[in-house]
Amino acid sequence: MTRCQKWLVPVGGLAQVVFPTRIAARCQSSSATSHGFAAAFVNELLHILSLRRSLSSDALAGLVAASAGRLRPTLAINGRTTNIGVSACVKGYNVTYHGGRARQSLDHSNPGSIFIALLESLSNGTVPPVRLIPVCPEFSSGLGAPRDPLRLVRPLTGGVRLLNAQTGRDDEVVLPFLERNTRLLPVVTEPLAFNSGDADVKLDGFVGQGGSPLCGVRDARMYPDGSPGKPFDRVDGLFAERLRSRGIPTLSLRSVKDVNTVESFLCASFKL
């Protein structure tokens, strides 16, 4: 039995999530509506994940849309739009270092793509209850795509360096860009906004691509001396760390099957 499955209780053919008291306590600072939405969202997500491999692509898309339809009324109660930042590569933009994207639109084998698809379904409508804001610090800084990959390094003298993984040289583009354009976070400024219409939007949460040295959430690799053969630590990427330091809830796409983590993120992000 997996960590998530032990909280699934079949009710009327639909898997219901039952949160232990110690997990529910993480949302004590949130309203009952936020807590209820977080539980319902995780319920729908785990239900989709439990059926995904037995469904056709069209059936899977239909199930995601149906789940969003059941969740939308809760979000519509106060008429507020929740702005969730997301790594642009998982939103479908070809901005990874190799010039591609991190996911195909809806992938049976990728729980992260299903999580994003469910959020995207909630973002439909004239006044959407959810708005996804794509962000890519590397691309927006001017590095473009494709580009050399970057690597986080912790020198023996302390601090953090961001290196070009091909040349071993210190980055001279992304770090200055971050320093200039993250000072007003949680507001996304014009240079950082991937789409011009997203400038001056205040983020309520952020979903990062797993393992990214900029957007990774507790899963970016930090090497002790820049050598890929050496042991590494798992840390926040430099952009994700700036978001968290300003009180913005963050989530790694690699964590979407973890009930604890997703529930806490949704409670903190959706202020209903």
Side-chain angles (χ1 to χ4, degrees):
M1 181 176 291
T2 68
R3 191 179 185 184
C4 293
Q5 288 173 334
K6 66 182 179 181
W7 296 316
L8 286 175
V9 180
V11 178
L14 179 64
Q16 303 291 325
V17 174
V18 179
F19 292 108
T21 302
R22 61 184 174 80
I23 297 175
R26 298 186 180 192
C27 282
Q28 286 181 348
S29 61
S30 302
S31 70
T33 304
S34 295
H35 192 181
F37 168 75
F41 186 103
V42 172
N43 175 46
E44 296 288 351
L45 178 63
L46 292 180
H47 180 56
I48 296 169
L49 293 178
S50 70
L51 298 176
R52 59 191 164 116
R53 298 189 185 279
S54 63
L55 300 175
S56 66
S57 296
D58 288 343
L60 179 59
L63 185 59
V64 169
S67 291
R70 289 188 288 270
L71 293 170
R72 196 172 286 112
T74 301
L75 293 177
I77 290 176
N78 64 0
R80 181 182 185 277
T81 297
T82 299
N83 298 311
I84 302 295
V86 60
S87 295
C89 57
V90 303
K91 188 72 168 61
Y93 295 94
N94 297 321
V95 293
T96 62
Y97 74 88
H98 52 70
R101 52 189 173 184
R103 75 171 182 109
Q104 302 302 314
S105 55
L106 185 56
D107 184 350
H108 289 71
S109 65
N110 186 341
S113 78
I114 295 173
F115 176 84
I116 292 295
L118 186 52
L119 284 179
E120 284 179 333
S121 292
L122 289 172
S123 68
N124 296 331
T126 305
V127 183
V130 180
R131 183 178 177 186
L132 297 185
I133 312 297
V135 179
C136 181
E138 297 101 313
F139 188 86
S140 295
S141 71
L143 288 183
R147 58 183 176 271
D148 288 343
L150 299 173
R151 177 181 299 146
L152 292 174
V153 176
R154 191 181 303 283
L156 294 176
T157 53
V160 177
R161 297 172 66 192
L162 184 64
L163 302 184
N164 182 308
Q166 299 294 335
T167 66
R169 296 176 180 173
D170 284 283
D171 161 72
E172 297 180 350
V173 177
V174 179
L175 281 180
F177 175 83
L178 284 180
E179 291 299 326
R180 292 193 305 270
N181 296 294
T182 59
R183 295 173 182 173
L184 297 180
L185 287 174
V187 175
V188 177
T189 57
E190 177 67 38
L192 185 60
F194 196 78
N195 296 319
S196 59
D198 294 329
D200 300 324
V201 171
K202 183 178 180 180
L203 296 183
D204 296 297
F206 177 77
V207 180
Q209 167 62 4
S212 166
L214 273 298
C215 295
V217 176
R218 300 188 183 94
D219 56 15
R221 294 183 177 187
M222 173 74 77
Y223 292 97
D225 60 4
S227 172
K230 298 289 185 179
F232 54 82
D233 295 323
R234 294 288 188 179
V235 300
D236 279 332
L238 296 182
F239 180 61
E241 188 277 329
R242 281 169 168 76
L243 291 168
R244 192 199 299 274
S245 69
R246 287 161 175 79
I248 303 172
T250 56
L251 176 72
S252 170
L253 273 184
R254 291 179 176 174
S255 301
V256 300
K257 293 178 68 176
D258 187 316
V259 172
N260 304 50
T261 302
V262 174
E263 188 252 5
S264 296
F265 170 77
L266 294 172
C267 274
S269 300
F270 287 82
K271 303 172 181 65
L272 305 175

